[in-house]
Amino acid sequence: MTTPVLALKNLKAGYGQTEILHDLSLHVMPNEIVAIIGPNGAGKSTAMKSVLGLLNIREGAVELNGEAITDTPAQKVIERGISYVPQTNNVFVNLSVQENLEMGAWTRPKGVEQRLDEMFDLFPDLSEKRAQAAGALSGGQRQMVAMAKALMVDAKILLLDEPTAGLSPKYRSEIFSTIQKIKNTGVPILIVEQNAKQALGVSDRGYVLVDGANRHEGTGAGLAADPEIARMFLGGGH
């Protein structure tokens, strides 16, 4: 049986004494896009931070390719090939697009120029803006810079926290189509997303979190078609 690239197993975790995740389990297989959806405060971003060693894990395990990385410091997690794009403060606004991408390559010993070319092929919008300051770009373009920066290393998996938050519908669609392109390069993706309908539309599988625990799981299409989930999360385009 194939080993998941990333697995969270019966995780109980939180901040200080406050437990936010209660017995949470999820996994991402090779070449999969997996979405985590749910109401505000359900623990979606907390689940992602547990992978990065940014909170207190009381019970359970986090595994990368079958090897435990529970409580590994964030820098070491990133060095092991987990690339993470936080929702905010995810680019260096005073640096150019190209300089941002070069900063993302800090753990890559060689081949930076070739990787830059690959990223500009994958994100053609950025290619013509490579000399512009990231802070001068639109929100959607800035998000593309953040994703390209995260992919400058040889990522084993890409974690995206609310990548379309605050973006126009046009840029939301562009981000989701770029996410599919990234998957086609062989990088699996775990995405936390408020725009549940679009997220499930591009995802192979999804998890619905409520109060820090799994409420539903299934294929992206199956969850999108579930009347209860549609009523809770998919009304009005969300």
Side-chain angles (χ1 to χ4, degrees):
M1 198 175 121
T2 311
T3 305
V5 179
L6 180 70
L8 278 56
K9 297 183 170 178
N10 306 111
L11 225 54
K12 292 187 177 175
Y15 302 97
Q17 295 306 303
T18 310
E19 187 172 289
I20 294 171
L21 303 178
H22 315 295
D23 208 30
L24 175 71
S25 293
L26 59 85
H27 65 274
V28 182
M29 301 302 288
N31 210 33
E32 253 193 341
I33 299 174
V34 173
I36 304 175
I37 65 169
N40 282 335
K44 303 186 296 294
S45 295
T46 306
M48 209 162 257
K49 288 182 175 135
S50 69
V51 176
L52 297 157
L54 297 175
L55 71 166
N56 177 17
I57 294 176
R58 296 200 175 85
E59 283 181 32
V62 180
E63 294 180 357
L64 178 66
N65 289 319
E67 197 178 320
I69 58 163
T70 320
D71 292 326
T72 300
Q75 182 172 332
K76 293 267 185 262
V77 169
I78 289 162
E79 285 171 6
R80 291 178 72 158
I82 294 182
S83 288
Y84 170 59
V85 180
Q87 182 181 344
T88 55
N89 301 325
N90 53 20
V91 297
F92 300 104
V93 290
N94 296 323
L95 297 183
S96 71
V97 169
Q98 179 156 332
E99 286 166 340
N100 264 277
L101 268 55
E102 288 166 350
M103 292 291 279
W106 62 279
T107 62
R108 172 180 279 277
K110 54 184 188 297
V112 174
E113 289 301 319
Q114 183 188 338
R115 192 63 176 161
L116 274 173
D117 291 343
E118 289 167 5
M119 288 301 102
F120 287 130
D121 284 346
L122 189 60
F123 297 89
D125 266 20
L126 301 183
S127 183
E128 55 213 44
K129 297 190 179 341
R130 62 175 74 199
Q132 279 190 27
L137 302 178
S138 71
Q141 290 166 336
R142 210 179 287 194
Q143 194 62 37
M144 299 234 182
V145 173
M147 291 198 292
K149 177 160 73 78
L151 290 168
M152 282 296 292
V153 294
D154 290 320
K156 294 190 175 76
I157 185 168
L158 178 63
L159 309 186
L160 299 174
D161 190 1
E162 304 280 6
T164 71
L167 299 186
S168 68
K170 171 185 176 285
Y171 258 115
R172 282 212 298 265
S173 297
E174 277 196 39
I175 295 288
F176 281 119
S177 71
T178 303
I179 287 167
Q180 283 188 296
K181 279 199 224 161
I182 293 168
K183 174 193 150 168
N184 293 340
T185 69
V187 179
I189 297 162
L190 179 64
I191 175 173
V192 163
E193 185 50 70
Q194 285 289 359
N195 293 298
K197 195 177 228 167
Q198 280 180 293
L200 292 174
V202 300
S203 297
D204 299 285
R205 290 185 308 105
Y207 294 87
V208 180
L209 262 58
V210 178
D211 295 332
N214 300 65
R215 178 67 60 87
H216 302 275
E217 62 181 277
T219 64
L223 290 173
D226 182 307
E228 185 193 348
I229 292 165
R231 186 173 47 77
M232 286 169 71
F233 306 112
L234 307 183
H238 295 291

